[in-house]
Amino acid sequence: MAFDFIDQHLATRKEQHLYRQRVLIEQQNARHLVHNGKQYLNFSSNDYLGLNHHPKINAALNEGAEKYGVCSSGSSLLTGFNYAHQYLENVICQWQNKDKCLLFNSGFSANFASLNAFAQPSAAIWLDKLSHASLLDGAFSQQAKVKRFLHNDYQQLNNLINTSSYRDHLIVSEGIFSMDGDGADINALAKVAQQHQAKLYIDDAHSIGITGNEGQGSSSVSNDIDIIMATFGKALATSGAFIACDNYTYEYLVNVSRHYIYSTAMSPAIAWATAKSIELVISESWRREKIAHLSQLLKQSLNTQITLLPTASSIHALVLGSEQLAMQSAETLKQYGIWLSAIRPPTVPKGSSRLRVTITSSHKEQDIKYLAECVNKVIGKNDR
Ligand SMILES: Cc1ncc(COP(=O)(O)O)c(C=O)c1O
C-alpha cells in the first residue's frame, strides 16, 4: 500500500515507548499550568525568568503593533525590515558586544540557516556530541565534513582538527546544554579555535538571560566567540532568535542565507516587545539569583541516591535510564500535581531517558521542597 511506511513508523514508535503526542495546555505561567481543568506545578517551562505575561512586555507588544504593525509584510530584503527590527538589533549588538545582528523567526531556522551557509565543501564542522537537532540538520545539509566530538572533550576536538586536511574549521557548541543543563568551557573552546584559525559558533538558547551579570550569556565570558545564536522563546519570553556576529559574517548571511532571504521578517510588534524584555533581563538580576538559590535548595532536598547532573543553569536532569521508567515516573508525578517532562531518545542518547526539571524565578521555596518530597517518594527512598 502506498505510504504504508507511515503506519510502520508509528507502530514502531509506540512499541518502543517513543510515540509523541501534543498536549493541550489551557493556561500557563512559569509556576503553574492548567491541563484538563487541573492545575499543576509547572517544572517544564522554558520561561526561566518568569517574563511571560509581564505587563511591560505586553504593553510594548501593543505599542509595537500600533506603531510598526503585527506583520512585517515582507522579507527583510524587500520591505520587511523596519525601525522596530533595527532598534532591537542595536540593543542586541550592544548587549552582546558585537558589530552586527540578524533576526530570525526561530532559533531552529537561525541555526539551520547559519550552519547551512558555512557547510561549504572546503569546511569541516566540529560539533559537540550534544548539539541541538537544528545545528546538526544545518551542518549536514550541505557538503562540508561534519564530525561530532565527545561532549565537552576539547582535547579530542583539538586532536581531530590537528589531523584534518580541511581548510576552514567551524567549531560549534551550546553555551548551556539543553538536555543536561551543564555548560561548555567557552574560554577553552576559544583557545582551540584560535590555535586552528577556526570560527567559534555558540548556541546560547539556554544561557541567554541566565548567565552573565546582565544575562548576556556566553558573551559575558569571552569576546572571542565569532557567532552567537540565541532564541527569544525561552528566558526572553517572546519569539524568534538572533545571530550576533562581525560585519563580514553578517554580509555573507544576508546574501546567502535562504531562511533569511526567502522568509517574512519577524513580527515588528514582537521585535519591539523583545527589546523591552532585554531591558528587564539586564536590570532585574534578582531573577537569576533566585534560580541559583532554588536550584541549590533542590539539590539539598533530594535523597542522596538521587543524582542530578551538575549544572549552573535552570535545567536539572534526573537521569533514570529506560524510556518506560522515565514515562511512568512523569505520569506518577502528575498524580501529585507536578508537571515535568520525560525526555527520551532521539532527543537524548538511548539508555539515558530522564526527567528534565526546569526551575524558574517564579517558583517559590515551598514548590521546590514539595517537588523534592514527591521525587524522593516516586524515585528513591527518603533517607535524609
Ligand atoms: C539548544 C537549542 N537551540 C535551538 C533551539 C530552537 O529554538 P526555537 O525554539 O526558537 O526554534 C532550541 C529549542 O527549542 C534549543 O534548545
Side-chain angles (χ1 to χ4, degrees), residues 237-248:
T238 62
S239 180
F242 73 79
I243 293 281
C245 55
D246 60 16
N247 233 314
Y248 191 54

Side-chain angles (χ1 to χ4, degrees), residues 84 205 228 249-250 280 323:
I228 301 168
T249 308
Y250 158 86
L280 293 168
E323 292 78 61

Side-chain angles (χ1 to χ4, degrees), residues 43 294 297-298 359 364-372:
F43 288 104
L294 294 178
L297 180 63
L298 176 64
I359 292 182
K364 298 189 183 306
E365 284 192 358
Q366 74 211 48
D367 303 337
I368 304 298
K369 287 181 182 160
Y370 180 66
L371 167 69

Side-chain angles (χ1 to χ4, degrees), residues 44 64 75 158 163-164 174 240 268 272 305 310 312 351 363 371 375 381:
S44 196
S75 152
N158 198 33
T163 54
S164 154
E174 295 182 20
W272 202 243
Q305 75 265 41
H363 287 125
L371 167 69
V375 168
K381 289 198 189 83

Side-chain angles (χ1 to χ4, degrees), residues 106-109 111 132 134 174 178 203 205-206 229 231 233-234 240-241:
S106 76
F108 199 107
S109 68
N111 274 342
H132 190 260
S134 52
E174 295 182 20
S178 56
D203 175 337
H206 298 276
M229 193 296 297
T231 118
K234 300 188 195 292

